[in-house]
Amino acid sequence: MLGPATVFAAETTPLGIYAVKIAGTAPGETRARTYLGIQLLQPANFGGLVVQTDGKRFTFNGASELPLHSDADKEYYVHAINGPGAGFIARIEAYEGAWVRCDQDLGAWLPPGTQFSIRPNPRLTDLFGADNRFGFVSGENAAQSDKVVLWDSREQEERIYYFNSTRSRWEEKGIEADAGNTPIRYPNGLYIVRHSATPLRIALKGEISADPVLLPVRDGANVFSLPVNLSASLANLVSSSGPFAVKSGKNAAQSDILSFEDPAGVAGSGPFYYRSRSNDTGWRAVGTNDSDAPLQPLDMLSTLVLRHEGEDAFVRVNADLTAPPGGPFVPPADPDPGELPLEVEVPNPVNPSPAELTIVLETSKDLATWSPVSFTPRADHRVFFQLPPAKAVPSTGSVSNCSEQRPASS
């Protein structure tokens, strides 16, 4: 016997989708860089509390099962979520029975009781497709192609990748080998150099995390992804005091220099430094005594370019999923004439779906106000919808609050 419809609601991990327009470069112009941060993360495949740490190794309940949940073609990292090392990230090198071995000593960062997550680093194919899904200009070599550039802060040099049109795969400049599994190691950022004069739109997706991050700062230039911060301004994003603060000084020459590059190219901000003088401290714009600019909202998808002189250090940056009263900063829409919306697909959270099940998908731009979105159910258990044409639409298509409706039975 069937009774009235019953609603079961479950809040899922928010997923984000953002569209970015990659600037074109006309013949004779200096090729523009479009910076991309990896704010939206790959899904976590494990998490819990640290039980014991031993040098570069740690263990937790269920650690021996971790290899069963890992892809051999992916590189994973552990992220400390709380405790004295909150934000610390270490790359996983091997699984040794009940132990997980990393590339760094963990004693001060992952003491017993620390909450952690384990995620894969995104690969070139995860972001841009093994088949060059967004249509980057490809060629027989890097000089003929659009370039995806990873900045190696330790070596202070570029690593350049492109899609080879002859071999139909991602390759590193000057190396004839498949580079599709190259990881973009969080929290590093990247930039794209467009070979064509025509702009190109791409869309990136992933989980929205509210976890802090310790940026591993090297001597010289650094390019970093930043965690999602809906209230992002320099003053509430980057630590200026405590053990993981930026290097400060009496003037810019003695301090870390920070610039923020947004992917749309309309809201770049900086450079800034943190002044520390007697009776005169705080964030300042380089070259002026302006203390108001560091308080202005930043594009939540900004990439941080940080120049540091001195020994390696860590700088803590903070996430915040609480939208400010006026809403987060969102760049204005700027579609090209005739530009089409992006088509987006996400997995159906209930698979397989019984015929009587209705999935309600809600989206938000600020993670506070949610609106239902219409979609077309697919036979392959995927949900289809569209993003409007835009220059940058942060977090549009964030998926949460999936609810289901089904008849009650007895």
Side-chain angles (χ1 to χ4, degrees), residues 60-77:
F60 59 94
N61 293 331
S64 60
E65 300 178 8
L66 190 55
L68 302 177
H69 302 275
S70 302
D71 186 333
D73 291 330
K74 294 185 178 182
E75 180 182 274
Y76 292 81
Y77 64 91

Side-chain angles (χ1 to χ4, degrees), residues 384-400:
F384 168 86
F385 60 100
Q386 291 186 327
L387 292 179
K391 194 163 189 174
V393 187
S395 293
T396 299
S398 301
V399 181
S400 186

